[in-house]
Amino acid sequence: MPDALKTYTSKRNFAVTPEPAAGGQGGAQLSFVIQKHWARRLHYDFRLELDGSMRSWAVPKGPSYDTKDKRMAVQVEDHPLAYASFEGTIPENQYGAGQVIIWDKGTWHPLCEPHQGYAEGNLKFELRGHKMHGKWALVRIKRAREKQETWLLIKEKDEFARSAAQYSVVDEMPGSVSALPLPGAALKNGTPSSLATLAGRQKARLPATLAPQLAVLAQAPPSAAANWLFEIKYDGYRILARIDGKDIKLYTRHGNDWTHRLEGLGQALLKMKLPSGWYDGEIVVMDEQGRPDFGALQRAFNGNNQADIVYYVFDLPFCDGYDWRRVPLEARRQMLQTLLAERPMPSVRFSAQLDAPIQDLQAAASKMGLEGIIGKRRSASYVSRRSPDWIKLKCGHRQEFVIGGYTDPRGARSGIGSLLLGTYDNKGVLNYAGKVGSGFDQVALHELKARLDKLVCDSSSFEATPAIVKNAHWVKPALVAEVSFGEWTRGGAIRHAVFQGLREDKMAKSVSREVAVPVAPESGALTLQSRLPGALKVSNPERVIDPTSGTSKIDLLRYYLLVGPLMLVHLRGRPVSLVRAPAGIGGHLFFQKHGDIGKLRGVKQLDPALDPDHLPMLEVATVRGLLMVAQMNVIEFHTQNAFAKTYATPNRLVFDLDPGKDVPWAAMQEAALLLRAFLEQLGLVPFLKTSGGNGLHVVVPIRPGYGWDTVKGFSRAIVAHLSTLMPQRFVLKSGPSNRVGKIFIDYLRNGRGATTVSAWSARARPGLGISVPLGWDELASLKSGAHWTVRNVHTRLGQGNLPWQQYARSARKLTAPMKRLGFQPEST
């Protein structure tokens, strides 16, 4: 046994723990692994391969890309090389008991002689992982009277460095990478089921339709290009393939079914036996020099010769029963590459990442005559809209235009002279954008003339302007042309235009003038990189809102971005009340139920008739709305017991178990079980969640039918019955003096206008506990109503809303339960 592993072995009983006793082989390059470890406290185990074992450090807060952050790293015993592939649960009563996942893995490359650097306590190296990139350093601190040496893990200044206010790698990329191959290594066989362990994925049915993510035209490359990956901008048609077993459908970007037009591609995908899912890519035809040829693609369609069509696939939004859209782009692409590599097909290829500095890529693309480069943010989610996380870097000016007319040919030309072009503005007006008279061959001229003849109309569809050519022939604005050009004039027309072909996959009404925009900054002005239509500016991001946990405002926004999709399930459709904390949780709190939403996108005002004596009530319906109000210093989100559309009839009951002084937690757990048993005896189906504070919430879905007063009266009758039956445990009246040593079951939450904190909302209390849905079988393991917090929510994301998956189906009418209790409703 190597001496390096004696301490490791002495601490473990390998008859009980699944950890490896020894073994493992080094590769051609030195490996590293970072394991996320939920032991007594969450920490990150950072391990570097050296001299046949893994040198190991426990990093409580995990790594940071901020060069100013010096993360403590406590050196622990060396581990065997085989430990680099360990992921599982260490049993209770064993050393390090708790769950372990492989948070990142890859290779490390010493920037000094590693043995000397390690001995001197100043080890510098480069990491090449899925999440960890660039230059780092481990620096030993001399501290007396400590059993273990303490080091600092520090990010060195390079192109990967980012401020902590802008980016937190442990928050934004929390999941396992165990199913992914080593970065840069040969792909190994893997199955979609093994890939399904990645954080961010959600179990989901395959949707019938899917709108694609679209890119914005960028003025210049991103300043921090290392955070982006780049691909060829293919000159073809965007195609989304929906594969459901042997049922394969091929759709354009606007949802047109082209399955019948692409039979060859459909057959190729069928032979590959890919997992069910949505596959996103572009079909092209290459010329003799290996460049995408848009004209050749059109000829392949027109001549029914599709043998040369190649489908370049670049994204995987859904796969094998999971929604992958929240998984970071880089991980989605690695999964896609693995799947395609296992099933090679010449006509279906992976759109590879271009490995060179972006300036060199642009120069090469221009030299080769390519349309341009596509840039995609590595950490981005997949969204069905145009997003700044995908950018177009074009080699020249080129876009789509609507054909609104044409001129007569001159000289020896036949068919048409020039096409008259336009684009729609945001008011739906077709503005004239000039003409194109070159780029046609004789076949194209006659085909165009035949199609235009079917669209002839008496008047112009363009907004009136003197620039429009006289003696033109007008057509209905139905055809879309792809045109390259030299520049835009001040008058809004294009110059030196060349016709590239018709766009069969794009709708005329969707064509607008492309305007280049700057890429969202990576540093300087703070932005929250997310799945939003634009960057959300965060004021005072570093302001600490909870001194107990050290949580800052930007930390809270990152939390709500992370849980937003889970939380919206509980927010949508319900009136919401907001708890603001402008000075943090130690300051004065403001409770807001009504108001003017102003510029808060994603927040809606509800029908004023719901509460006619006040300003309209509010609804938070999108992740953007969630973040917008959090930016306005909102910490808590509370919802009412009815949907706005059926506000007069509540659709749930809420019982808030609120402990009095000296009530132990075990009594709270027992009280929840007693309440559950009684509700089930009445014929109701209760669900459980933590309150994020001291108590527990029992939530009962009901079918709307009774008014507020009746529902509240029934809930009071339930609590009154329990307090009469067990007066030593429960009390009907609130107030500290009434419930010393007892539990008040708060039924007042069921009145009109009353609210309860939403699932996944943070609480404005020390530690920032969160309200989390859970199963009844988990109650015994809870430590408190604030078992989960903003800081440790990652330990719960895998479960998400699954414990409540039967919630909607469990709603019951109240008529029979009321009868069993002997409660007489006043009206129905």
Side-chain angles (χ1 to χ4, degrees):
M1 180 192 306
D3 291 342
L5 298 182
K6 280 187 175 180
T7 303
Y8 169 83
T9 303
S10 67
K11 291 183 175 182
R12 290 162 174 83
N13 180 355
F14 295 107
V16 178
T17 181
E19 299 166 281
Q25 292 184 340
Q29 296 178 317
L30 295 172
S31 65
F32 85 89
V33 67
I34 300 179
Q35 283 153 318
K36 193 173 180 179
H37 188 177
W38 288 272
R40 285 180 298 173
R41 293 183 179 179
L42 172 66
H43 64 275
Y44 295 78
D45 292 315
F46 180 43
R47 312 190 197 280
L48 299 176
E49 177 188 346
L50 189 64
D51 295 334
S53 66
M54 303 297 290
R55 302 289 168 91
S56 299
W57 293 261
V59 185
K61 292 186 177 181
S64 169
Y65 270 90
D66 194 328
T67 58
K68 297 178 182 178
D69 283 347
K70 296 176 174 60
R71 293 292 168 89
M72 184 174 69
V74 180
Q75 189 164 11
V76 297
E77 71 276 9
D78 288 4
H79 285 51
L81 294 180
Y83 209 97
S85 59
F86 171 67
E87 185 171 87
T89 300
I90 303 173
E92 291 185 15
N93 302 319
Q94 293 297 303
Y95 179 76
Q99 183 185 3
V100 177
I101 66 169
I102 298 174
W103 181 79
D104 196 21
K105 62 183 178 181
T107 57
W108 74 284
H109 305 264
L111 300 177
C112 60
E113 204 291 314
H115 300 89
Q116 181 180 350
Y118 177 79
E120 294 177 354
N122 189 10
L123 184 58
K124 296 182 181 292
F125 48 89
E126 178 187 353
L127 294 179
R128 300 176 187 173
H130 295 288
K131 304 173 184 178
M132 300 291 286
H133 308 283
K135 299 175 182 177
W136 298 77
L138 276 167
V139 179
R140 185 166 51 223
I141 305 173
K142 292 183 179 180
R143 291 188 177 180
R145 300 178 183 177
E146 289 201 6
K147 296 180 181 179
Q148 297 167 304
E149 290 187 347
T150 302
W151 300 56
L152 296 176
L153 177 62
I154 305 170
K155 182 74 186 78
E156 300 276 86
K157 292 183 178 179
D158 60 14
E159 68 272 22
F160 293 97
R162 300 171 71 177
S163 72
Q166 181 193 21
Y167 180 69
S168 168
V169 65
V170 295
D171 287 330
E172 299 192 23
M173 304 184 76
S176 168
V177 299
S178 63
L180 300 181
L182 284 174
L187 293 172
K188 299 179 181 179
N189 288 341
T191 64
S193 59
S194 67
L195 298 174
T197 59
L198 286 175
R201 95 289 184 258
Q202 293 181 329
K203 195 76 176 177
R205 292 182 179 180
L206 188 65
T209 60
L210 179 70
Q213 181 160 346
L214 303 174
V216 300
L217 181 62
Q219 292 176 347
S223 57
N227 298 323
W228 295 70
L229 58 83
F230 299 94
E231 304 169 62
I232 292 175
K233 187 180 188 308
Y234 293 103
D235 195 2
Y237 287 148
R238 184 76 169 271
I239 293 292
L240 289 93
R242 184 184 188 276
I243 300 176
D244 189 6
K246 295 182 179 180
D247 182 19
I248 296 176
K249 299 291 186 183
L250 302 170
Y251 297 96
T252 68
R253 57 183 285 180
H254 285 292
N256 298 322
D257 189 343
W258 277 19
T259 310
H260 63 289
R261 302 188 65 181
L262 293 165
E263 291 184 1
L265 176 56
Q267 290 297 318
L269 292 169
L270 183 63
K271 292 178 182 178
M272 294 176 74
K273 297 181 180 180
L274 289 164
S276 294
W278 278 96
Y279 296 77
D280 193 359
E282 189 109 353
I283 57 170
V284 300
V285 170
M286 296 295 190
D287 64 12
E288 295 179 354
Q289 286 75 41
R291 299 171 300 189
D293 187 334
F294 186 68
L297 177 62
Q298 289 200 313
R299 290 191 293 274
F301 273 109
N302 297 338
N304 294 318
N305 179 17
Q306 301 178 12
D308 295 331
I309 290 179
V310 177
Y311 185 35
Y312 281 94
V313 191
F314 46 69
D315 214 325
L316 185 63
F318 286 83
C319 182
D320 196 41
Y322 285 88
D323 180 347
W324 299 99
R325 290 174 296 179
R326 292 186 63 212
V327 174
L329 167 71
E330 193 166 32
R332 294 197 309 271
R333 283 176 50 82
Q334 286 167 336
M335 292 185 289
L336 174 63
Q337 186 176 12
T338 299
L339 292 174
L340 297 182
E342 292 172 357
R343 304 159 174 83
M345 180 67 63
S347 59
V348 181
R349 304 176 190 175
F350 178 69
S351 175
Q353 176 181 338
L354 301 173
D355 188 16
I358 182 56
Q359 291 78 10
D360 294 348
L361 293 177
Q362 285 185 289
S366 297
K367 187 176 181 180
M368 293 174 62
L370 299 177
E371 186 181 353
I373 301 295
I374 291 287
K376 299 175 182 177
R377 202 182 299 274
R378 294 177 185 272
S379 61
S381 298
Y382 189 97
V383 294
S384 293
R385 51 174 164 73
R386 200 170 293 280
S387 166
D389 286 336
W390 288 18
I391 58 173
K392 293 182 282 189
L393 299 165
K394 292 190 175 182
C395 296
H397 295 289
R398 178 168 168 161
Q399 73 158 80
E400 303 86 31
F401 293 91
V402 179
I403 301 173
Y406 65 94
T407 62
D408 290 323
R410 294 182 180 180
R413 175 180 282 191
S414 60
I416 61 172
S418 297
L419 296 175
L420 306 184
L421 309 173
T423 59
Y424 282 100
D425 61 21
N426 56 12
K427 296 180 181 179
V429 175
L430 184 62
N431 295 303
Y432 182 65
K435 58 183 180 178
V436 58
S438 63
F440 308 101
D441 57 25
Q442 201 61 37
V443 174
L445 286 170
H446 285 289
E447 289 179 350
L448 268 171
K449 181 62 164 59
R451 296 190 65 172
L452 293 170
D453 284 345
K454 298 177 182 179
L455 298 171
V456 170
C457 60
D458 296 331
S459 60
S460 170
S461 299
F462 295 112
E463 179 78 354
T465 172
I468 295 180
V469 178
K470 296 180 180 180
N471 301 321
H473 300 277
W474 308 118
V475 297
K476 296 176 183 178
L479 298 180
V480 177
E482 178 95 5
V483 177
S484 58
F485 56 97
E487 62 179 354
W488 286 95
T489 67
R490 291 184 178 180
I494 57 175
R495 298 180 60 189
H496 311 303
V498 179
F499 177 79
Q500 300 295 330
L502 290 179
R503 300 295 316 210
E504 304 286 354
D505 59 332
K506 297 188 178 180
M507 299 171 60
K509 279 291 184 181
S510 70
V511 174
S512 59
R513 177 174 172 176
E514 283 192 324
V515 178
V517 297
V519 177
E522 302 290 342
S523 58
L526 181 66
T527 60
L528 188 67
Q529 303 301 344
S530 66
R531 298 163 288 280
L532 301 176
L536 173 66
K537 293 184 179 179
V538 181
S539 60
N540 303 312
E542 301 293 351
R543 180 169 56 81
V544 175
I545 60 175
D546 174 30
T548 303
S549 62
T551 303
S552 65
K553 182 177 179 180
I554 192 66
D555 293 330
L556 183 65
L557 265 76
R558 284 202 187 99
Y559 165 74
Y560 278 126
L561 177 61
L562 191 65
V563 302
L566 297 173
M567 190 172 175
L568 288 179
V569 174
H570 305 273
L571 288 177
R572 282 198 184 105
R574 295 186 186 274
V576 66
S577 298
L578 310 171
V579 178
R580 280 183 158 150
I585 65 171
H588 187 66
L589 303 180
F590 299 89
F591 196 83
Q592 181 180 355
K593 187 183 295 186
H594 313 83
D596 182 4
I597 59 175
K599 297 181 180 179
L600 293 180
R601 298 179 184 175
V603 179
K604 298 195 309 185
Q605 284 185 331
L606 297 173
D607 186 349
L610 299 181
D611 195 0
D613 296 331
H614 300 88
L615 288 171
M617 293 190 291
L618 307 175
E619 178 195 359
V620 177
T622 66
V623 175
R624 168 175 276 280
L626 194 64
L627 296 180
M628 290 292 283
V629 294
Q631 148 61 15
M632 300 298 291
N633 303 307
V634 169
I635 294 180
E636 296 187 8
F637 296 77
H638 295 244
T639 58
Q640 296 193 34
N641 283 0
F643 288 128
K645 291 183 178 179
T646 54
Y647 188 64
T649 51
N651 68 344
R652 75 181 183 196
L653 294 169
V654 174
F655 298 93
D656 179 4
L657 278 67
D658 192 359
K661 185 179 179 182
D662 298 330
V663 174
W665 177 247
M668 289 291 293
Q669 294 168 303
E670 187 179 38
L673 292 174
L674 290 170
L675 176 58
R676 175 198 183 189
F678 184 62
L679 292 169
E680 289 178 340
Q681 200 172 29
L682 294 177
L684 299 170
V685 184
F687 289 80
L688 182 67
K689 71 182 180 77
T690 61
S691 68
N694 296 323
L696 293 166
H697 292 161
V698 175
V699 184
V700 182
I702 60 175
R703 294 187 183 180
Y706 292 94
W708 288 99
D709 291 342
T710 300
V711 171
K712 180 181 176 183
F714 177 56
S715 66
R716 184 187 186 282
I718 291 173
V719 177
H721 182 86
L722 287 171
S723 61
T724 301
L725 192 65
M726 291 175 279
Q728 74 281 9
R729 298 177 183 269
F730 301 116
V731 63
L732 180 62
K733 294 183 179 181
S734 62
S737 61
N738 295 323
R739 49 190 168 115
V740 174
K742 299 180 181 181
I743 297 168
F744 170 52
I745 304 179
D746 187 355
Y747 64 88
L748 300 173
R749 309 275 179 173
N750 298 300
R752 183 186 181 102
T755 61
T756 305
V757 72
S758 171
W760 301 105
S761 173
R763 303 304 302 273
R765 303 181 181 190
L768 292 178
I770 56 177
S771 179
V772 175
L774 66 155
W776 285 102
D777 59 344
E778 298 178 284
L779 178 58
S781 63
L782 284 184
K783 304 302 182 185
S784 73
H787 188 95
W788 289 283
T789 69
V790 167
R791 287 295 189 187
N792 69 7
V793 67
H794 300 315
T795 65
R796 187 61 183 177
L797 288 178
Q799 286 294 310
N801 288 323
L802 286 177
W804 281 30
Q805 62 182 333
Q806 297 299 319
Y807 179 90
R809 299 177 183 176
S810 301
R812 301 288 188 266
K813 292 182 178 180
L814 287 184
T815 306
M818 286 178 177
K819 186 175 181 180
R820 291 189 183 99
L821 187 61
F823 177 80
Q824 295 294 327
E826 295 181 4
S827 61
T828 59

